[in-house]
Structures are given as C-alpha cells and as structure tokens.
Amino acid sequence: MSLSTKEIVRNIISLHEREPGSYLSKSLAILSHRPFNMKGQEIEEIVGLMIHSGLQKYYNITAPVVSVPQNKKAADVLFDFNGTKRELDIKSYGGAERFQLSTLKLILQSIRDEFQHDGPGILSPSKKNWLIDKIDEVQPGYTLSFLSFIRNTGAIDIHGFDFESLSLRPFESLDFELRKTGKEQRVELFIQITNNSTLEISAGGNPYNRGMWINGIRGNEDMNQIYQTNFIHGIFRENVTPSNFDKDKYIFDKAKATIELIRAFYK
C-alpha cells in the first residue's frame, strides 16, 4: 500500500514525540521567542532532520534522501520515499494569536480587482460564491504548521497541525464581511468561525497583511474549536517549560556551536 506524504510525516512526528529524546516540541518552545521572520529556517532544518532520522528509524531506509532547499521557489522540505519524491511546506508561529494558511499569491490580485469598488459590509450571495470558487483554485499541497502560546508562568503550549487543501465551502452558511483597512484601504474579508476566531483574507502588500489567516486564537480552547471545523487537523499538543531560558544566552551559545561546526569543515 502506498503511503501519502501526510501519513508518513504524521507517523514520524507521532513516534518521535513519544520518545524520551524527542526534540521537536522542545525546539518549538525555544524558537517561539524568536522574531516572526527569523525562526522559519531553523524549524525547516529541525523538521528536515527529524524526517531524515525518522525514515531511517521507523521505515528502515538506510540512506534517506532529504533536503531543505531554503529557496522560495521550492518546497521547504523535500524527501524521497521508496522512489517517490515528496514535499511539504512548513509554517511556524511562536507567541502569536494568528497563523497563515496561504499567501494566496496567484489569486490575490483577482481579489483586489473584484472588491476594490465595493463598500464595506456583508457580501451578497453572488460575491460570496465568487470568493468560494476563487479560493478553490488554491491548492497549497501538504502543509505542516506549528502555533505556540507563551504563558506568564514560562510554560509554552505547542500545537502541531496540518492541511492539504483550502476551501471556504464548509463556511458558506456564515456571513462573509468585507472591510477596507489601513491608509491604503486594502481589501479584507472576514468569516467568524468560532466565538473568538476569524478566518481572514487580506489583500495587502506586505507579509503581515496578505493571504489567508486564522486570527483571534487566545489559547488551547480556541484551537480545539478550530479543529472541530475540520478546516485544519491537529497532530499533537505539548506543554513545555524551558528551564533557565535566556534569549541572549541562546543566541550566543548557538553562534558558538555554529562557529565550531564551521571550523570542522576546515580541518
């Protein structure tokens, strides 16, 4: 039986997280303190390493082929499984109340054009159907995401979840609201999907305000409600408390370890 990329990755994560020496959730807890635009590459490397070791340990592949291209034109992690090339994208949001589902790169201009002359308010049935059909054109492929909540006590709740496709059809009975936001009056669309959380589509121009997001996530209960919509699918949840964590010490200790690794290539 041929396994899907989702099945392989989920199985590796599940087995890895059960082991005493697991490092994924612990790494996510530390990296939750990193700035929005600085933790992505580190997570890609750690997940790539986990998949590489998981293919060896759980699937008996002696020489796994795994790469982390760190190239915007390629997936975040590529690996070979029994002669078939697999790929996944990774999104990681530490200490945040929202996460991105897609940049919507290929359809963002169409959304701007469709709604640029419309006033704020609830979308008409025809406009709602147009948006639902347009989002169906977006097929992100298998995406692995992580979201964390940093508590005042120092404990950090980590959520790992995934999705393979995007569709607004599960929410078509709800109101879709159009807003015009910011100085540029950018097009933004909102769907209230839980008591606290909204699914948002923003047609802004920078990484912080473009694409499809879920916003207004304040904790585990909000995430549990979002899972119940079946829009995204939970893989694991961990509560981690780093001991004696100092952000500056982490940065400099990591720099020292990196320098030692680099030096090893010149022996």
Side-chain angles (χ1 to χ4, degrees):
M1 182 178 68
S2 177
L3 294 173
S4 68
T5 301
K6 179 178 181 177
E7 289 172 317
I8 297 164
V9 173
R10 278 174 156 256
N11 190 43
I12 288 175
I13 291 174
S14 177
L15 292 169
H16 173 82
E17 281 295 302
R18 293 178 202 166
E19 296 189 354
S22 66
Y23 50 79
L24 177 61
S25 56
K26 297 179 182 66
S27 301
L28 289 162
I30 295 297
L31 294 173
S32 295
H33 295 272
R34 302 292 281 151
F36 174 85
N37 62 338
M38 293 187 67
K39 56 184 170 282
Q41 288 186 332
E42 293 171 290
I43 292 297
E44 291 169 15
E45 293 163 358
I46 289 166
V47 171
L49 173 64
M50 183 191 65
I51 290 174
H52 188 277
S53 60
L55 292 174
Q56 290 177 309
K57 188 168 188 176
Y58 309 127
Y59 290 100
N60 299 315
I61 298 174
T62 56
V65 178
V66 183
S67 65
V68 183
Q70 297 184 337
N71 177 342
K72 291 183 179 180
K73 295 181 180 179
D76 292 329
V77 178
L78 306 172
F79 66 97
D80 185 277
F81 188 82
N82 293 340
T84 302
K85 295 187 184 303
R86 309 301 181 97
E87 60 182 45
L88 66 144
D89 282 317
I90 298 170
K91 293 182 178 293
S92 180
Y93 302 93
E97 290 189 352
R98 66 174 185 156
F99 60 85
Q100 189 183 57
L101 294 154
S102 171
T103 63
L104 300 181
K105 179 172 59 177
L106 298 179
I107 65 167
L108 213 55
Q109 189 57 50
S110 296
I111 291 173
R112 293 184 187 113
D113 294 342
E114 180 69 20
F115 296 104
Q116 65 177 335
H117 299 302
D118 295 351
I122 303 302
L123 295 193
S124 67
S126 62
K127 290 283 187 175
K128 179 193 285 191
N129 289 333
W130 181 92
L131 183 61
I132 290 171
D133 289 342
K134 184 57 64 173
I135 295 298
D136 280 349
E137 296 177 13
V138 179
Q139 295 299 326
Y142 182 65
T143 303
L144 178 64
S145 291
F146 305 106
L147 183 68
S148 61
F149 304 99
I150 303 173
R151 306 305 183 188
N152 292 333
T153 60
I156 301 171
D157 288 311
I158 305 291
H159 284 263
F161 53 95
D162 59 10
F163 55 92
E164 294 180 285
S165 60
L166 297 174
S167 176
L168 299 182
R169 295 189 186 281
F171 309 118
E172 59 186 335
S173 64
L174 303 177
D175 286 338
F176 290 25
E177 181 185 359
L178 170 65
R179 300 178 193 171
K180 297 293 182 70
T181 309
K183 291 181 180 179
E184 75 275 32
Q185 289 290 282
R186 65 179 176 270
V187 170
E188 293 194 332
L189 298 129
F190 293 78
I191 309 169
Q192 192 79 37
I193 59 173
T194 74
N195 290 337
N196 294 325
S197 306
T198 51
L199 191 152
E200 302 175 6
I201 296 170
S202 178
N206 70 57
Y208 296 96
N209 62 28
R210 66 171 176 244
M212 182 186 291
W213 301 74
I214 291 181
N215 201 353
I217 312 161
R218 298 185 177 91
N220 296 322
E221 184 53 39
D222 287 330
M223 284 300 292
N224 291 338
Q225 289 182 36
I226 293 167
Y227 292 144
Q228 289 169 19
T229 69
N230 209 32
F231 195 64
I232 60 171
H233 309 283
I235 305 174
F236 74 93
R237 177 192 157 197
E238 295 288 344
N239 181 271
V240 181
T241 304
S243 58
N244 302 318
F245 176 68
D246 181 296
K247 287 188 280 188
D248 290 328
K249 185 176 186 303
Y250 165 77
I251 289 168
F252 293 127
D253 285 352
K254 187 181 72 166
K256 291 176 186 176
T258 302
I259 289 167
E260 290 306 311
L261 178 61
I262 290 168
R263 282 175 174 162
F265 288 107
Y266 289 91
K267 290 180 179 178

